[in-house]
DNA sequence: AATGAATGAGAATTCATTCAT
DNA sequence: GATGAATGAATTCTCATTCAT
């Protein structure tokens, strides 16, 4: 009656496939990746793969789901932390715990942008793109709003519009580094300048 | 004896195909478009199409070539114009003659980003992406540099870095409106805020 | 020590599977039905199902076996009954105890015809089809023959040929109602006419 | 501008494929036949075949279309012929010009029945089955009706019901010979008996 | 040059069957 | 005996590209 292999085992297997799939997507990009690539990377048979995911899109959606979940979690986490400063909080959201911009970006950013842009006429994919956008928008808007309330930010600009700018700029950076080269785009330097901009526009009090 | 007429004819035919192809790429996106789509839109036979272009990539490269040419031309044009103000000059580059940002974007931006991002591992495509990037970089850097020299801009930031920011932000905007929706992205409002930013960071003198 | 109980259990399980399988075959037809369908309907695991039947054909053969058995039984039964009239006896065979044709047909007729016709090049299936045919042929021939001997039927036609006609017509009716629609085929009306025909051709004495 | 290969050539090719496909369907049956079989029999490449027919069902529908067309034509033909006798006319419809039943049946009858019965839950196929049924029904009903009017048939039975019987019986015969064997079913003898039946039930006047 | 029929490689998907636990 | 995860063969279908005319 009870299943031969534990449910955890299935979860594990699924997770393994996803891990392998991520690598493949990072290496080949979304469009170029085939189910065969994933099979080979994950060491699953054709049928095995299809047991877990019904097609390539399904695999990628699972990855996105995970990413969105992770980002939500991180957001929660950050929100709970009794950060003394919304400014630092914002920087942490953008550049990680050390608040130091570097030249690294999420390697899944490229295949994700590819997934979204090649599927921009497909409602299903569009929905994922929107979720991703609005998740970010909510996070940044909230932080800025809180900072305003606390008196840390003295800007007269709309919080939401600033939040949008953060996303647009970040996406642009991700896009450019994907299609050109990390080195060419000077992500780090641009980020530093962008931080300056944000500080100014938000009217961050020392 | 002379092939002049026939050559003109060929040019014409090629141009027609490209016009039709643009429409198709705008409608379906780069990946989804097939040679059949182009054939049908351009009213050419299969063989006819292959006489002018050896594959889909070739067609799109021709379109890019034209776009790059046009942008270079526009740059030249603008540079020659005895614009009294580098600031206005910059705005004209970004938002056209009336310097007013609106919600419209180049409809070819989406398929182009798609072309670049899906082909980011292909040196050939990457080269196009780089050319596009560096063309823009050169233009904006030059203008800012000139503005500095003339004393119109009083910034202490590196011209090139500001130029990069312009490109990244613009690309991000283009990307977001492609994958979400014009309305959702509030291009116009974001652009207005971005102009404010530029004005500040460049230290534009009235 | 004795496997009696477990054997009964197995029989029961097998019977359950067959019952469920019948429903599935009736709903989806033979070809469209997959082992998965049967598993789900019977609430058996994949391996469990294969313990009892080695493939879909095997399942259907078991159903046929049962049907043939039932029909033989019914025949026996009817034969034993001290029916005063072979004519009524014949009608009972065709239309059940009340001898009234109606629009209902055996719901397994359709999947069975499908099973036979799609497998008409397979000796194994053909054998089942023949058994079914000759079972019926034997039954009807016997009844007619008996009726002749008893003087109830006064026909000069060969009993076997009339029996064949009964089968062909019945099969035709089953086929047509399967591929068209019960309503469209007017089974009941056709059956009434067919009874008239039989009465005439058999020369049934009141 | 004008096509390289004449339209007739395409028609010819299509017809060739259909001829080959018929043979294959007759040999393997509808379900067992694959596109590969047809490709090989017709000596076309995969792509070539798909240029003419988009899938197996499409191929078979073309065959059916042709059959229905042919049967309609034959009907027209027969109707135009100033046949002196509706009875002979009817026999010609059923058994060809010589009005002699034989053991041969249309070899496409089996795959067609298979096509209809396996697709009985598919509205598209059902429509073909209905068309086929109602075409026949119309033909036979008309002939019988005419025969009644002319006084040649003196039956009091509904023409339509007799017509239905003709179809059901014919279909039953086709089915049985498909799943058993021509020899086993004694088509010729059954047909002779059926003619007797029809003569009686129609009240054919000498 | 132009045509469009023909080609075939490659990707996706399904499902019967096996087999380790 | 039972389970259900895993396998892989078989098939469908699409499209870029070639090529005879």
């Amino acid at each position: 009656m009870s299943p031969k292999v534990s449910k955890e085992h299935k979860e594990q297997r699924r997770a393994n496939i996803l891990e392998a799939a991520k690598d493949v997507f990072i290496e080949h990009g979304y469009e170029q990746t085939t189910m065969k690539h994933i099979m080979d990377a994950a060491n699953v048979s054709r049928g095995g793969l299809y047991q877990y995911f019904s097609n390539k899109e399904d695999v990628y959606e699972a990855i996105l789901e995970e990413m969105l979940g992770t980002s939500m979690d991180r957001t929660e986490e950050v929100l709970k932390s009794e950060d003394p400063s919304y400014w630092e909080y914002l920087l942490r959201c953008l550049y990680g715990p050390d608040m130091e911009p570097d030249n690294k970006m999420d390697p899944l950013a490229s295949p994700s942008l590819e997934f979204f842009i090649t599927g921009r006429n497909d409602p299903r994919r569009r929905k994922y793109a929107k979720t991703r956008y609005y998740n970010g928008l909510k996070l940044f808007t909230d932080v800025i709003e809180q900072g305003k309330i606390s008196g840390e930010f003295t800007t007269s600009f709309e919080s939401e519009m600033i939040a949008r700018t953060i996303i647009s700029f970040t996406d642009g950076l991700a896009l450019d580094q994907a299609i050109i080269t990390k080195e060419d785009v000077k992500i780090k330097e641009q980020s530093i300048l962008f931080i300056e901009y944000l500080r100014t526009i938000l009217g961050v009090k020392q």
Side-chain angles (χ1 to χ4, degrees), chain A:
Chain A
M1 200 95 354
S2 88
K4 178 66 182 314
V5 184
S6 69
K7 197 177 173 186
E8 288 87 52
H9 178 265
K10 262 200 102 167
E11 293 285 319
Q12 185 53 50
R13 190 116 169 86
R14 198 186 125 103
N16 285 344
I17 293 175
L18 280 187
E19 272 321 296
K22 270 185 215 168
D23 294 343
V24 177
F25 281 125
I26 289 167
E27 189 186 341
H28 294 99
Y30 180 75
E31 286 293 324
Q32 291 301 323
T33 294
T34 70
M35 288 300 256
K36 183 80 167 56
H37 287 144
I38 301 175
M39 279 162 50
D40 292 346
N43 238 282
V44 214
S45 66
R46 195 143 232 122
L49 178 51
Y50 276 89
Q51 203 136 31
Y52 293 92
F53 304 98
S54 51
N55 48 47
K56 188 170 68 162
E57 192 158 357
D58 196 25
V59 179
Y60 207 83
E61 281 176 11
I63 294 176
L64 281 178
E65 220 81 77
E66 200 184 292
M67 289 170 73
L68 292 176
T70 310
S71 92
M72 296 294 278
D73 289 354
R74 227 189 45 174
T75 305
E76 297 271 314
E77 219 172 83
V78 180
L79 279 163
K80 273 180 204 139
S81 76
E82 63 254 16
D83 220 313
S85 143
Y86 287 103
W87 173 242
E88 293 194 354
Y89 182 102
L90 189 60
L91 293 182
R92 244 186 287 280
C93 288
L94 287 166
Y95 306 109
D98 63 357
M99 303 183 295
E100 282 293 324
D102 56 24
N103 272 324
K104 277 170 215 138
M105 289 214 102
D106 181 353
L108 279 166
S110 303
S112 294
L113 295 183
E114 196 190 337
F115 180 81
F116 292 138
I117 204 163
T118 57
R120 65 190 180 282
N121 291 327
D122 173 22
R124 209 181 152 77
R125 291 214 197 160
R126 205 166 197 125
K127 227 183 121 204
Y128 275 96
K130 284 200 178 182
T131 303
R132 174 184 156 282
Y133 186 87
Y134 282 108
N135 272 0
L137 189 59
K138 175 93 174 42
L139 168 63
F140 294 126
T141 307
D142 282 356
V143 177
I144 296 169
E145 207 60 40
Q146 292 292 323
K148 275 185 183 176
I149 290 165
S150 79
E152 191 179 342
F153 301 156
T154 61
T155 185
S156 63
F157 291 110
E158 254 185 274
S159 304
E160 191 197 289
M161 208 52 64
I162 301 177
R164 281 178 194 280
T165 301
I166 294 175
I167 298 175
S168 291
F169 179 74
T170 309
D171 281 350
L173 226 47
L175 174 68
D176 285 342
Q177 75 103 26
I179 67 180
I180 324 261
T181 283
K182 276 194 228 323
E183 299 74 48
D184 283 300
V185 179
K186 314 251 184 220
I187 297 183
K188 190 176 170 182
E189 289 87 338
Q190 285 204 59
S191 298
I192 293 169
L193 178 55
F194 186 64
I195 292 173
E196 272 327 289
Y197 163 52
L198 278 181
R199 192 197 300 277
T200 312
I201 209 173
L202 286 170
V204 179
K205 280 209 175 141
Q206 257 312 350

